[in-house]
Amino acid sequence: MQLTVRYFAGARAAAGRSEETAPAGRSLEQLTADLAQRHGAPLAAVLRVASFLVDGVACHDRQAPLPAGATIDVLPPFAGG
């Protein structure tokens, strides 16, 4: 089973794509470490300050296992005005 990772705003620019898949069976902490290694320093910097939604619900526990088939949204801080 896979996870779908969707990138928004600055995360999309840093990853160079809007979406990708990743293997299931890991925590958000493990997933972000893998994504940072795969895409390099620009995405690693975004992931350190990003918020995450798991199937549309805010995820605050980076150690919790992610459900197989989940969609993970990566939301960097947004500037507004």
Side-chain angles (χ1 to χ4, degrees):
M1 203 69 176
Q2 296 282 320
L3 301 170
T4 300
V5 181
R6 299 189 306 183
Y7 299 105
F8 294 87
R12 179 183 298 154
R17 64 190 70 214
S18 61
E19 185 175 297
E20 67 181 301
T21 59
R26 57 184 61 197
S27 68
L28 184 58
E29 182 83 12
Q30 293 166 322
L31 174 63
T32 57
D34 289 347
L35 295 172
Q37 184 176 19
R38 184 181 310 167
H39 296 291
L43 184 59
V46 171
L47 293 172
R48 280 193 293 276
V49 297
S51 297
F52 300 90
L53 301 179
V54 177
D55 289 335
V57 177
C59 179
H60 301 291
D61 182 1
R62 291 184 179 223
Q63 300 303 319
L66 297 169
T71 298
I72 313 304
D73 293 332
V74 181
L75 307 170
F78 292 94

